[in-house]
Amino acid sequence: MFIQTESTPNPATLKFLPGQTVLEMGTADFPTAEGASASPLAERLFAVDGVEGVFFGHDFVTVTKGEDRDWDHLKPALLGAIMEHFQSGAPVMAGDAAGPSGHAEHSGEDGEIVTQIKELLDSRVRPAVAQDGGDITFHGFERGVVYLHMQGACAGCPSSTLTLKMGIENLLRHYIPEVTEVRPVAV
């Protein structure tokens, strides 16, 4: 098994590509070790000292390290943990924990606008963000403001504010005049 690594725009996050499917559908975000019990792979990665976050996409794993840690020391242990996991045949997600995480539900008068927002996010934003080892999902829409949840390499990335304001906000405002602003939310 050969695992490729790629840097991301977030210097604290590294993207690992194991050369096989990680999640069939959706994404899984583990911003802390406390929620990792839903995934044997996430538990294994959090066991490496210095790991502060784990995120799974369709064919990648991103790992976020602590500020005081060095990739030169962490990377070999993480490569070993990922390789051991996939060679063991254990599932990535435990039992029925595997469910696609994605956009929040929205009910109300802005349903048509929210549908357009989600379609643009799915077709234009999420594929590009996945290339950088993260995901951005719809969280809410209120009085012209779109609230988005940033995951994986996007969470805490120095360029995430610029991506939100200059990229996503401009895109949504161009196609959907009712959108006036985009803001990140912490979940």
Side-chain angles (χ1 to χ4, degrees), residues 55-173:
F55 179 81
F56 302 144
H58 175 70
D59 63 351
F60 67 89
V61 173
T62 57
V63 176
T64 303
K65 68 176 184 66
E67 275 186 40
D68 58 339
R69 305 300 177 159
D70 190 309
W71 281 121
D72 291 337
H73 295 106
L74 282 175
K75 192 171 161 182
L78 293 169
L79 287 167
I82 293 169
M83 189 173 297
E84 285 174 14
H85 178 81
F86 282 105
Q87 289 177 340
S88 76
V92 171
M93 300 297 288
D96 60 357
S101 67
H103 303 304
E105 293 298 318
H106 179 87
S107 59
E109 60 194 50
D110 298 321
E112 192 173 308
I113 295 168
V114 169
T115 299
Q116 291 176 341
I117 291 168
K118 290 179 180 181
E119 286 174 2
L120 277 171
L121 289 173
D122 288 342
S123 65
R124 302 270 183 113
V125 177
R126 293 178 83 187
V129 171
Q131 292 293 315
D132 288 337
D135 197 11
I136 295 178
T137 57
F138 173 83
H139 188 74
F141 178 73
E142 187 176 332
R143 293 192 206 116
V145 179
V146 177
Y147 296 93
L148 300 176
H149 180 216
M150 303 176 84
Q151 301 171 312
C154 296
C157 177
S159 62
S160 65
T161 303
L162 187 64
T163 299
L164 270 181
K165 290 294 179 188
M166 301 308 290
I168 300 168
E169 184 175 293
N170 286 344
L171 175 80
L172 292 177
R173 288 173 66 185

Side-chain angles (χ1 to χ4, degrees), residues 19-35:
Q20 62 190 68
T21 300
V22 176
L23 287 182
E24 287 293 332
M25 289 182 56
T27 60
D29 189 26
F30 303 95
T32 64
E34 284 72 41

Side-chain angles (χ1 to χ4, degrees), residues 27-56:
T27 60
D29 189 26
F30 303 95
T32 64
E34 284 72 41
S37 62
S39 167
L41 177 55
E43 285 184 314
R44 195 179 291 239
L45 293 170
F46 275 111
V48 175
D49 190 37
V51 171
E52 292 194 353
V54 174
F55 179 81
F56 302 144

